Amino acid sequence: MKKQIAKFAVIGALILGGTACSDFLDVKPEGVLLEGEAISNQQDIENVLNSIYDVTANVYNGRMQAFSTALGDNINRPRTSTFLQEVYGRQTNIFNSDVSAVYLDAYRAVYRANWLLENIDLVDVEANRRQEILDEARFLRALMHFEMVRYFGQPFGFSSDNSHLGVVNKTATIRELVPRNTVNEVYNFVISELEAVAQRLPESNGIYATKAAAHGVLADVYFQMNQFSSAAAYADSAISGSTTTLMPGFNRYEAGMNTEIVFGGYSFASLNDNRGGSFAGFFRWDNQPNPNPELTIDANTYALVTSNPDDIRDSVWFSVLNQGNPNEMIVYSKFNYDFMDVPIVHLTKLKLTRAEALAMTGSDLGTAIQDVNDIRERAYGSNAYNLAPTATSTEILDAVRYERRIELMCEGDRIHELKRLGVLGEIQTIRGADWDCPGQVLQFPAVERSDVFVLNEEGGC
């Protein structure tokens, strides 16, 4: 997600540490001078936009996705990380610095986007590029709001009118104490922003935001809302509007190898810039003399994967270490790379979303079947497990939900999928606790405490 050196100046490392309540939203990127300092030309504005991409990539470096994985049902209790153990145990509080760091990074990106929107006219910017900059900033701002409302609020559909609390719709740099918006208000804001910018974002924009990227995020948004016609339509637009191709192999996190990314974070080995460092920190085991990764796969999950002996993903993504011994562990190999590209909107997920959305509406089942079969032929190395052309909606749903769980495992999808199914009434519990219990959402950081901002309920499930 970093602007290339040939096009933009390289931005220094971002400030990621703890911050006080007075300044956590307006921490500026090193190398970028804001209003009243040295914003004097278009390049300075481009640098600010670059910094928004930069901090957005930090949000997706594996920390946030680990929260979804820990809240879900695919892994064992984290080994040593106290803060991640709190997430797994549904007991986060205002002092969880891991959760706070991701939240603060997301709102740093939002703050910088708002600053750019408010101050772009400080200098002359070429007219067409000016609109592109504004739309890219709004896209990133909407993306951050969507991710935060999913982690810090109960899901869309938790209440009949979605009047339950979400996060703050932050659309200005002014510092003020404001209450949380409702989930309905946050989703409406995200949708309106994405639909507006999707009309103008370019179809081709290198590794940066495009029309297809906006459509892909909208597919995620509507899918989370269980509004399947819109989810299918936007997934279809994202697929047809991009030049991506389905990878033949399973190394979609290996830097430089992914042909499926519509929008994501990109690593640059030449800059020693790894956008998936936390994935490796939590899961990687192949570079250790005595492997002991923080996160390991639950035995029941592994039994599901190995239930079909022809599933190639078993041998590629999973290994059993110390088999038969007290210290036996099932480790995960998807993130065993020195440098990783992190797919955010990508073809595999879009196909799974489109297939399920179409099955739920009972329309265009042929496309849904083909999407599932595309995934299965890669997974099993043949068409032996393809759905029949006459497969019913129920058969498609069973297949696509199974494939989604395995394909997107540990990528940040699982808890949102489970909550969505909870809203539909298709599950009642997640790992022994009610799917909608208070501990299923993360607690806000201490900096948000005020007379008007209502924190999430604590006490677990």
Side-chain angles (χ1 to χ4, degrees), residues 77-99:
R77 186 175 186 268
R79 288 178 171 272
T80 62
S81 170
T82 301
F83 291 133
L84 204 52
Q85 287 171 356
E86 289 177 0
V87 176
Y88 181 86
R90 310 180 188 97
Q91 294 277 356
T92 57
N93 57 54
I94 61 174
F95 302 112
N96 189 307
S97 61
D98 287 3
V99 172

PDB file of all heavy atoms in Angstrom, residues 77-99:
ATOM      1  N   ARG A  77      -6.142 -21.556  22.525  1.00  0.00           N
ATOM      2  CA  ARG A  77      -5.830 -20.378  23.326  1.00  0.00           C
ATOM      3  C   ARG A  77      -4.403 -19.924  23.034  1.00  0.00           C
ATOM      4  O   ARG A  77      -3.490 -20.741  22.967  1.00  0.00           O
ATOM      5  CB  ARG A  77      -5.978 -20.710  24.808  1.00  0.00           C
ATOM      6  CG  ARG A  77      -5.822 -19.524  25.758  1.00  0.00           C
ATOM      7  CD  ARG A  77      -6.110 -19.989  27.178  1.00  0.00           C
ATOM      8  NE  ARG A  77      -6.122 -18.874  28.119  1.00  0.00           N
ATOM      9  CZ  ARG A  77      -5.041 -18.461  28.808  1.00  0.00           C
ATOM     10  NH1 ARG A  77      -3.878 -19.102  28.658  1.00  0.00           N
ATOM     11  NH2 ARG A  77      -5.119 -17.458  29.645  1.00  0.00           N
ATOM     12  N   PRO A  78      -4.196 -18.619  22.812  1.00  0.00           N
ATOM     13  CA  PRO A  78      -2.831 -18.136  22.570  1.00  0.00           C
ATOM     14  C   PRO A  78      -1.888 -18.575  23.677  1.00  0.00           C
ATOM     15  O   PRO A  78      -2.267 -18.678  24.846  1.00  0.00           O
ATOM     16  CB  PRO A  78      -3.011 -16.617  22.542  1.00  0.00           C
ATOM     17  CG  PRO A  78      -4.433 -16.416  22.104  1.00  0.00           C
ATOM     18  CD  PRO A  78      -5.194 -17.539  22.724  1.00  0.00           C
ATOM     19  N   ARG A  79      -0.628 -18.792  23.308  1.00  0.00           N
ATOM     20  CA  ARG A  79       0.311 -19.418  24.231  1.00  0.00           C
ATOM     21  C   ARG A  79       0.813 -18.460  25.312  1.00  0.00           C
ATOM     22  O   ARG A  79       0.838 -18.803  26.485  1.00  0.00           O
ATOM     23  CB  ARG A  79       1.501 -19.978  23.449  1.00  0.00           C
ATOM     24  CG  ARG A  79       1.137 -21.217  22.634  1.00  0.00           C
ATOM     25  CD  ARG A  79       2.335 -21.714  21.840  1.00  0.00           C
ATOM     26  NE  ARG A  79       2.024 -23.009  21.253  1.00  0.00           N
ATOM     27  CZ  ARG A  79       2.209 -24.176  21.852  1.00  0.00           C
ATOM     28  NH1 ARG A  79       2.703 -24.195  23.066  1.00  0.00           N
ATOM     29  NH2 ARG A  79       1.899 -25.307  21.259  1.00  0.00           N
ATOM     30  N   THR A  80       1.259 -17.274  24.916  1.00  0.00           N
ATOM     31  CA  THR A  80       1.935 -16.402  25.877  1.00  0.00           C
ATOM     32  C   THR A  80       1.409 -14.974  25.923  1.00  0.00           C
ATOM     33  O   THR A  80       1.618 -14.284  26.917  1.00  0.00           O
ATOM     34  CB  THR A  80       3.445 -16.339  25.571  1.00  0.00           C
ATOM     35  OG1 THR A  80       3.647 -15.774  24.266  1.00  0.00           O
ATOM     36  CG2 THR A  80       4.067 -17.728  25.631  1.00  0.00           C
ATOM     37  N   SER A  81       0.790 -14.505  24.864  1.00  0.00           N
ATOM     38  CA  SER A  81       0.360 -13.110  24.795  1.00  0.00           C
ATOM     39  C   SER A  81      -0.844 -12.869  25.702  1.00  0.00           C
ATOM     40  O   SER A  81      -1.958 -13.324  25.413  1.00  0.00           O
ATOM     41  CB  SER A  81       0.003 -12.728  23.353  1.00  0.00           C
ATOM     42  OG  SER A  81      -0.626 -11.454  23.317  1.00  0.00           O
ATOM     43  N   THR A  82      -0.628 -12.129  26.771  1.00  0.00           N
ATOM     44  CA  THR A  82      -1.717 -11.857  27.707  1.00  0.00           C
ATOM     45  C   THR A  82      -2.844 -11.093  27.036  1.00  0.00           C
ATOM     46  O   THR A  82      -4.030 -11.393  27.240  1.00  0.00           O
ATOM     47  CB  THR A  82      -1.188 -11.047  28.902  1.00  0.00           C
ATOM     48  OG1 THR A  82      -0.156 -11.797  29.550  1.00  0.00           O
ATOM     49  CG2 THR A  82      -2.297 -10.767  29.902  1.00  0.00           C
ATOM     50  N   PHE A  83      -2.494 -10.105  26.226  1.00  0.00           N
ATOM     51  CA  PHE A  83      -3.523  -9.284  25.591  1.00  0.00           C
ATOM     52  C   PHE A  83      -4.335 -10.085  24.579  1.00  0.00           C
ATOM     53  O   PHE A  83      -5.542  -9.907  24.458  1.00  0.00           O
ATOM     54  CB  PHE A  83      -2.896  -8.061  24.939  1.00  0.00           C
ATOM     55  CG  PHE A  83      -2.340  -7.068  25.918  1.00  0.00           C
ATOM     56  CD1 PHE A  83      -1.082  -6.526  25.752  1.00  0.00           C
ATOM     57  CD2 PHE A  83      -3.082  -6.688  27.024  1.00  0.00           C
ATOM     58  CE1 PHE A  83      -0.569  -5.623  26.663  1.00  0.00           C
ATOM     59  CE2 PHE A  83      -2.586  -5.778  27.948  1.00  0.00           C
ATOM     60  CZ  PHE A  83      -1.318  -5.238  27.764  1.00  0.00           C
ATOM     61  N   LEU A  84      -3.669 -10.976  23.837  1.00  0.00           N
ATOM     62  CA  LEU A  84      -4.403 -11.805  22.888  1.00  0.00           C
ATOM     63  C   LEU A  84      -5.207 -12.874  23.621  1.00  0.00           C
ATOM     64  O   LEU A  84      -6.288 -13.271  23.161  1.00  0.00           O
ATOM     65  CB  LEU A  84      -3.432 -12.445  21.888  1.00  0.00           C
ATOM     66  CG  LEU A  84      -4.023 -12.868  20.535  1.00  0.00           C
ATOM     67  CD1 LEU A  84      -4.787 -11.727  19.882  1.00  0.00           C
ATOM     68  CD2 LEU A  84      -2.924 -13.359  19.609  1.00  0.00           C
ATOM     69  N   GLN A  85      -4.714 -13.331  24.744  1.00  0.00           N
ATOM     70  CA  GLN A  85      -5.500 -14.255  25.560  1.00  0.00           C
ATOM     71  C   GLN A  85      -6.787 -13.589  26.048  1.00  0.00           C
ATOM     72  O   GLN A  85      -7.825 -14.243  26.157  1.00  0.00           O
ATOM     73  CB  GLN A  85      -4.666 -14.735  26.746  1.00  0.00           C
ATOM     74  CG  GLN A  85      -3.570 -15.717  26.372  1.00  0.00           C
ATOM     75  CD  GLN A  85      -2.628 -16.008  27.523  1.00  0.00           C
ATOM     76  OE1 GLN A  85      -2.731 -15.415  28.605  1.00  0.00           O
ATOM     77  NE2 GLN A  85      -1.684 -16.923  27.310  1.00  0.00           N
ATOM     78  N   GLU A  86      -6.731 -12.301  26.352  1.00  0.00           N
ATOM     79  CA  GLU A  86      -7.939 -11.569  26.736  1.00  0.00           C
ATOM     80  C   GLU A  86      -8.948 -11.551  25.603  1.00  0.00           C
ATOM     81  O   GLU A  86     -10.158 -11.710  25.833  1.00  0.00           O
ATOM     82  CB  GLU A  86      -7.587 -10.146  27.140  1.00  0.00           C
ATOM     83  CG  GLU A  86      -6.856 -10.024  28.458  1.00  0.00           C
ATOM     84  CD  GLU A  86      -6.465  -8.597  28.779  1.00  0.00           C
ATOM     85  OE1 GLU A  86      -6.769  -7.696  27.969  1.00  0.00           O
ATOM     86  OE2 GLU A  86      -5.857  -8.381  29.849  1.00  0.00           O
ATOM     87  N   VAL A  87      -8.461 -11.363  24.383  1.00  0.00           N
ATOM     88  CA  VAL A  87      -9.373 -11.391  23.231  1.00  0.00           C
ATOM     89  C   VAL A  87      -9.995 -12.774  23.100  1.00  0.00           C
ATOM     90  O   VAL A  87     -11.220 -12.918  22.957  1.00  0.00           O
ATOM     91  CB  VAL A  87      -8.627 -11.005  21.940  1.00  0.00           C
ATOM     92  CG1 VAL A  87      -9.560 -11.122  20.730  1.00  0.00           C
ATOM     93  CG2 VAL A  87      -8.074  -9.583  22.033  1.00  0.00           C
ATOM     94  N   TYR A  88      -9.165 -13.799  23.161  1.00  0.00           N
ATOM     95  CA  TYR A  88      -9.648 -15.182  23.046  1.00  0.00           C
ATOM     96  C   TYR A  88     -10.668 -15.502  24.139  1.00  0.00           C
ATOM     97  O   TYR A  88     -11.683 -16.161  23.894  1.00  0.00           O
ATOM     98  CB  TYR A  88      -8.453 -16.136  23.148  1.00  0.00           C
ATOM     99  CG  TYR A  88      -8.802 -17.602  23.013  1.00  0.00           C
ATOM    100  CD1 TYR A  88      -8.888 -18.201  21.752  1.00  0.00           C
ATOM    101  CD2 TYR A  88      -9.021 -18.390  24.140  1.00  0.00           C
ATOM    102  CE1 TYR A  88      -9.198 -19.552  21.634  1.00  0.00           C
ATOM    103  CE2 TYR A  88      -9.328 -19.735  24.023  1.00  0.00           C
ATOM    104  CZ  TYR A  88      -9.417 -20.314  22.767  1.00  0.00           C
ATOM    105  OH  TYR A  88      -9.726 -21.645  22.635  1.00  0.00           O
ATOM    106  N   GLY A  89     -10.412 -15.018  25.342  1.00  0.00           N
ATOM    107  CA  GLY A  89     -11.315 -15.261  26.461  1.00  0.00           C
ATOM    108  C   GLY A  89     -12.479 -14.301  26.543  1.00  0.00           C
ATOM    109  O   GLY A  89     -13.251 -14.358  27.503  1.00  0.00           O
ATOM    110  N   ARG A  90     -12.589 -13.418  25.569  1.00  0.00           N
ATOM    111  CA  ARG A  90     -13.683 -12.434  25.495  1.00  0.00           C
ATOM    112  C   ARG A  90     -13.688 -11.547  26.742  1.00  0.00           C
ATOM    113  O   ARG A  90     -14.746 -11.254  27.302  1.00  0.00           O
ATOM    114  CB  ARG A  90     -15.024 -13.153  25.319  1.00  0.00           C
ATOM    115  CG  ARG A  90     -15.026 -14.202  24.196  1.00  0.00           C
ATOM    116  CD  ARG A  90     -16.379 -14.887  24.081  1.00  0.00           C
ATOM    117  NE  ARG A  90     -16.336 -16.014  23.154  1.00  0.00           N
ATOM    118  CZ  ARG A  90     -16.170 -17.289  23.522  1.00  0.00           C
ATOM    119  NH1 ARG A  90     -16.037 -17.583  24.817  1.00  0.00           N
ATOM    120  NH2 ARG A  90     -16.151 -18.257  22.625  1.00  0.00           N
ATOM    121  N   GLN A  91     -12.513 -11.102  27.129  1.00  0.00           N
ATOM    122  CA  GLN A  91     -12.363 -10.325  28.358  1.00  0.00           C
ATOM    123  C   GLN A  91     -11.516  -9.073  28.128  1.00  0.00           C
ATOM    124  O   GLN A  91     -10.751  -8.664  28.988  1.00  0.00           O
ATOM    125  CB  GLN A  91     -11.690 -11.187  29.438  1.00  0.00           C
ATOM    126  CG  GLN A  91     -12.512 -12.369  29.905  1.00  0.00           C
ATOM    127  CD  GLN A  91     -13.533 -11.987  30.967  1.00  0.00           C
ATOM    128  OE1 GLN A  91     -13.589 -10.858  31.413  1.00  0.00           O
ATOM    129  NE2 GLN A  91     -14.360 -12.948  31.366  1.00  0.00           N
ATOM    130  N   THR A  92     -11.631  -8.432  26.965  1.00  0.00           N
ATOM    131  CA  THR A  92     -10.811  -7.246  26.726  1.00  0.00           C
ATOM    132  C   THR A  92     -11.288  -6.090  27.594  1.00  0.00           C
ATOM    133  O   THR A  92     -12.467  -5.985  27.939  1.00  0.00           O
ATOM    134  CB  THR A  92     -10.855  -6.826  25.252  1.00  0.00           C
ATOM    135  OG1 THR A  92     -12.201  -6.594  24.846  1.00  0.00           O
ATOM    136  CG2 THR A  92     -10.225  -7.884  24.370  1.00  0.00           C
ATOM    137  N   ASN A  93     -10.344  -5.237  27.948  1.00  0.00           N
ATOM    138  CA  ASN A  93     -10.665  -4.056  28.744  1.00  0.00           C
ATOM    139  C   ASN A  93      -9.931  -2.854  28.185  1.00  0.00           C
ATOM    140  O   ASN A  93      -9.201  -2.954  27.194  1.00  0.00           O
ATOM    141  CB  ASN A  93     -10.316  -4.283  30.220  1.00  0.00           C
ATOM    142  CG  ASN A  93      -8.859  -4.644  30.415  1.00  0.00           C
ATOM    143  OD1 ASN A  93      -7.955  -3.925  29.971  1.00  0.00           O
ATOM    144  ND2 ASN A  93      -8.604  -5.771  31.076  1.00  0.00           N
ATOM    145  N   ILE A  94     -10.094  -1.714  28.826  1.00  0.00           N
ATOM    146  CA  ILE A  94      -9.560  -0.458  28.289  1.00  0.00           C
ATOM    147  C   ILE A  94      -8.036  -0.411  28.314  1.00  0.00           C
ATOM    148  O   ILE A  94      -7.445   0.472  27.678  1.00  0.00           O
ATOM    149  CB  ILE A  94     -10.125   0.751  29.058  1.00  0.00           C
ATOM    150  CG1 ILE A  94      -9.732   0.682  30.548  1.00  0.00           C
ATOM    151  CG2 ILE A  94     -11.632   0.844  28.879  1.00  0.00           C
ATOM    152  CD1 ILE A  94     -10.139   1.904  31.338  1.00  0.00           C
ATOM    153  N   PHE A  95      -7.400  -1.355  28.998  1.00  0.00           N
ATOM    154  CA  PHE A  95      -5.946  -1.342  29.116  1.00  0.00           C
ATOM    155  C   PHE A  95      -5.267  -2.337  28.174  1.00  0.00           C
ATOM    156  O   PHE A  95      -4.058  -2.533  28.265  1.00  0.00           O
ATOM    157  CB  PHE A  95      -5.541  -1.630  30.557  1.00  0.00           C
ATOM    158  CG  PHE A  95      -6.129  -0.654  31.538  1.00  0.00           C
ATOM    159  CD1 PHE A  95      -7.095  -1.063  32.446  1.00  0.00           C
ATOM    160  CD2 PHE A  95      -5.746   0.672  31.529  1.00  0.00           C
ATOM    161  CE1 PHE A  95      -7.646  -0.173  33.354  1.00  0.00           C
ATOM    162  CE2 PHE A  95      -6.295   1.583  32.424  1.00  0.00           C
ATOM    163  CZ  PHE A  95      -7.256   1.157  33.342  1.00  0.00           C
ATOM    164  N   ASN A  96      -6.034  -2.956  27.273  1.00  0.00           N
ATOM    165  CA  ASN A  96      -5.445  -3.906  26.330  1.00  0.00           C
ATOM    166  C   ASN A  96      -4.716  -3.114  25.243  1.00  0.00           C
ATOM    167  O   ASN A  96      -5.335  -2.578  24.326  1.00  0.00           O
ATOM    168  CB  ASN A  96      -6.525  -4.802  25.727  1.00  0.00           C
ATOM    169  CG  ASN A  96      -5.947  -5.937  24.905  1.00  0.00           C
ATOM    170  OD1 ASN A  96      -5.143  -5.723  24.013  1.00  0.00           O
ATOM    171  ND2 ASN A  96      -6.369  -7.165  25.212  1.00  0.00           N
ATOM    172  N   SER A  97      -3.406  -3.050  25.335  1.00  0.00           N
ATOM    173  CA  SER A  97      -2.647  -2.189  24.427  1.00  0.00           C
ATOM    174  C   SER A  97      -2.618  -2.721  22.999  1.00  0.00           C
ATOM    175  O   SER A  97      -2.466  -1.943  22.047  1.00  0.00           O
ATOM    176  CB  SER A  97      -1.222  -2.002  24.950  1.00  0.00           C
ATOM    177  OG  SER A  97      -0.541  -3.238  25.029  1.00  0.00           O
ATOM    178  N   ASP A  98      -2.754  -4.040  22.804  1.00  0.00           N
ATOM    179  CA  ASP A  98      -2.794  -4.581  21.448  1.00  0.00           C
ATOM    180  C   ASP A  98      -4.045  -4.099  20.714  1.00  0.00           C
ATOM    181  O   ASP A  98      -3.985  -3.664  19.558  1.00  0.00           O
ATOM    182  CB  ASP A  98      -2.785  -6.105  21.483  1.00  0.00           C
ATOM    183  CG  ASP A  98      -1.427  -6.677  21.850  1.00  0.00           C
ATOM    184  OD1 ASP A  98      -0.509  -5.872  22.130  1.00  0.00           O
ATOM    185  OD2 ASP A  98      -1.285  -7.916  21.864  1.00  0.00           O
ATOM    186  N   VAL A  99      -5.182  -4.195  21.385  1.00  0.00           N
ATOM    187  CA  VAL A  99      -6.434  -3.718  20.793  1.00  0.00           C
ATOM    188  C   VAL A  99      -6.374  -2.209  20.587  1.00  0.00           C
ATOM    189  O   VAL A  99      -6.764  -1.685  19.529  1.00  0.00           O
ATOM    190  CB  VAL A  99      -7.629  -4.109  21.679  1.00  0.00           C
ATOM    191  CG1 VAL A  99      -8.913  -3.449  21.183  1.00  0.00           C
ATOM    192  CG2 VAL A  99      -7.799  -5.630  21.707  1.00  0.00           C
TER     193      VAL A  99
END
